[in-house]
Structures are given as structure tokens and as C-alpha cells.
Amino acid sequence: HPSAISLSQRERVKHAFTLAEVFSSHFAGHRKTAFTLAEVLITLGIIGIVAALTMPNLIANYQKKQTVTQLKKAYSQLAQALKLSEVTNGEVQYWNLDAPSDEFANKYVLPYLKHSKILPVSEVNSNTKYRFLDGTYASAASGFYGGTAIEIADGTIITVDSWTPSDNSFRTFYIDINGYKKPNVFGKDMFVFWLRSGADLKPYFHQYTREELLFDTSLLQRCTKDKTSFAGMGCATVIMLDGWEIKDDYPW
């Protein structure tokens, strides 16, 4: 009952209500009207358009950096293994570079690659179907299909080519940086290197310039999407010449 409330209590209650009214009136002018459904949909549409324009470039840039990282690692591992092999087997110039691929792999490569194993040729051939950069499929008769494949711990597959020149001058290696995973395309996840007599491991066609490998239409096995023989086999050289980077003019 009002009479039961003391004067001081009534004053405190009155003061509290006064403060509440002041607080409410002060912030009433700062209230904002909510977005309409149309405004929300327009905003979402703009965000979607921006994402559609930028996401492909972001994804491509990420894939390029990941490719370079994996390729550099695989190349380093193989190069180091071959150097270790020289300690046991003598310098490369004294190796039997034209030995059968399984014999070559088991003697010169496999013992010097940590956590590696030979993969059955039938397994490799049934799980992969490689394409060149111009979209054509690599023939089953290509050397790497009949070669000896070595899988290392991270899933990279290094294949010792079955074909060798008659002068025992070099041996070719194919490095698939992500194993059986797609795209299985030369210049994207499959790269080619060779070991020449009396030299270190080099990218395929390392004797040419990047301009020749990218733009010289008379050169075969270059790094291009143009219709040409074995398009993409020279791409490791381009990446290395560019300081381990995939630049904008690379045929990605």
C-alpha cells in the first residue's frame, strides 16, 4: 500500500523512473531502421558477383604455389638421392644409364630415397591416364608407362623411364607430385627431368630459354597448350628459370 512506503523510498522509485525515461528518450533518436528483404538480397547478390570474379584467381594462385612447393621438394629429394648414390656407385658418368628401368631403379635410386617402394607397373597404368597440356592423351607406349615407378612417403611417384638413348648419355625421370590424384597433366602435376652422364639432375630441355620453351613453335616438347608433340614436358625448366615460380604467362 502506498502509505506503507516511506518518503525516501518513494523518492528513490520516482528517481529511478525519471532516469529510465531520460535514457529511453536519449537513445530513441539513434535507432536505425532494419534492412528490407530487397536490400539484403541485393547485398548478397553483389557479394556473390565479387566472389565469382575473385575466387577462381585465388584458387588458381593457391594451386600454383602448392604445385611449386611440391615440385621443389620432390626434385630436391631425387637430386639428393642421386648424390648419395654416387658415394656408393661412383660418379654418374660411370653408371649404366641404359640399364633396364627396374635394374636402374633398384641399384641407383631406391636405396637412397627414404621410405620409398616400387609400385607394380600394372597398378600405375590402371590408376593413371596422363594428358599433355594440349589435351591429348599420352600413349601407353610412352616410356614412363613401361618404366619403373617409385612411390615415396608423401605420395609422390617418381618413374624411371624405360626408354634410353643408344649412346648411354642420359636417363629420364617423370615426377608426379601428387601420385594418382588428378589432374595427371604434364606441366601441372607431372614434370620431367633427366640425368645426363657427367652432370647433375636437370629439368627436361634445360638447355633452352624460357622464351623458346613458351613461344617457339618450331620447338617440340615445350611448355605450351598449343598443339605440339608432348606439350608440357619442358615446363619444369620454365618454373626453375623463373626462380621456382609459376608466372602469369605460364600455360596453366
Side-chain angles (χ1 to χ4, degrees), residues 175-189:
I175 298 181
D176 186 332
I177 60 175
N178 58 0
Y180 295 142
K181 296 178 182 178
K182 293 182 178 180
N184 292 330
V185 174
F186 281 83
K188 289 195 173 182
D189 61 349

Side-chain angles (χ1 to χ4, degrees), residues 12-231:
R12 284 197 295 269
V13 170
K14 181 179 179 182
H15 181 65
F17 275 108
T18 301
L19 287 175
E21 289 172 355
V22 171
F23 182 86
S24 177
S25 62
H26 175 75
F27 286 94
H30 294 275
R31 292 175 183 168
K32 295 183 179 180
T33 305
F35 289 112
T36 65
L37 178 59
E39 290 172 330
V40 171
L41 292 176
I42 291 172
T43 302
L44 291 176
I46 294 172
I47 292 173
I49 292 171
V50 173
L53 293 173
T54 58
M55 282 303 292
N57 287 334
L58 292 175
I59 293 172
N61 288 335
Y62 170 76
Q63 291 173 335
K64 290 177 182 179
K65 290 180 180 179
Q66 185 180 43
T67 295
V68 169
T69 299
Q70 291 176 287
L71 177 61
K72 190 174 183 179
K73 178 184 177 183
Y75 168 74
S76 177
Q77 287 177 302
L78 178 57
Q80 289 176 17
L82 295 174
K83 280 295 184 184
L84 288 173
S85 182
E86 285 188 289
V87 176
T88 303
N89 299 298
E91 296 178 1
V92 173
Q93 61 181 318
Y94 303 113
W95 291 9
N96 184 12
L97 294 176
D98 64 353
S101 62
D102 58 343
E103 179 182 318
F104 185 93
N106 281 292
K107 180 176 181 179
Y108 297 112
V109 186
L110 188 66
Y112 310 98
L113 274 174
K114 292 182 178 179
H115 311 296
S116 60
K117 64 180 181 179
I118 297 290
L119 294 177
V121 174
S122 58
E123 177 185 321
V124 176
N125 291 347
S126 63
N127 281 284
T128 56
K129 194 171 183 181
Y130 290 98
R131 288 181 294 115
F132 295 110
L133 272 177
D134 63 2
T136 59
Y137 281 96
S139 169
S142 298
F144 66 90
Y145 275 113
T148 300
I150 302 171
E151 183 181 42
I152 57 180
D154 62 2
T156 298
I157 296 177
I158 299 173
T159 301
V160 179
D161 198 348
S162 62
W163 179 88
T164 59
S166 58
D167 60 359
N168 192 42
S169 60
F170 67 88
R171 192 86 199 207
T172 305
F173 296 88
Y174 299 88
I175 298 181
D176 186 332
I177 60 175
N178 58 0
Y180 295 142
K181 296 178 182 178
K182 293 182 178 180
N184 292 330
V185 174
F186 281 83
K188 289 195 173 182
D189 61 349
M190 169 67 101
F191 298 90
V192 191
F193 295 82
W194 56 13
L195 181 68
R196 301 187 71 86
S197 180
D200 296 330
L201 184 70
K202 300 288 186 181
Y204 204 69
F205 275 24
H206 67 91
Q207 69 270 40
Y208 293 98
T209 66
R210 77 181 304 275
E211 285 71 25
E212 288 174 318
L213 289 167
L214 289 172
F215 309 116
D216 187 350
T217 57
S218 66
L219 182 65
L220 300 180
Q221 302 173 326
R222 58 197 179 98
C223 188
T224 179
K225 288 185 177 181
D226 297 339
K227 293 292 180 182
T228 185
S229 297
F230 311 111

Side-chain angles (χ1 to χ4, degrees), residues 219-250:
L219 182 65
L220 300 180
Q221 302 173 326
R222 58 197 179 98
C223 188
T224 179
K225 288 185 177 181
D226 297 339
K227 293 292 180 182
T228 185
S229 297
F230 311 111
M233 289 186 70
C235 286
T237 295
V238 174
I239 292 174
M240 291 181 69
L241 286 173
D242 285 337
W244 291 104
E245 183 181 353
I246 295 179
K247 294 192 174 181
D248 291 339
D249 57 355
Y250 185 94

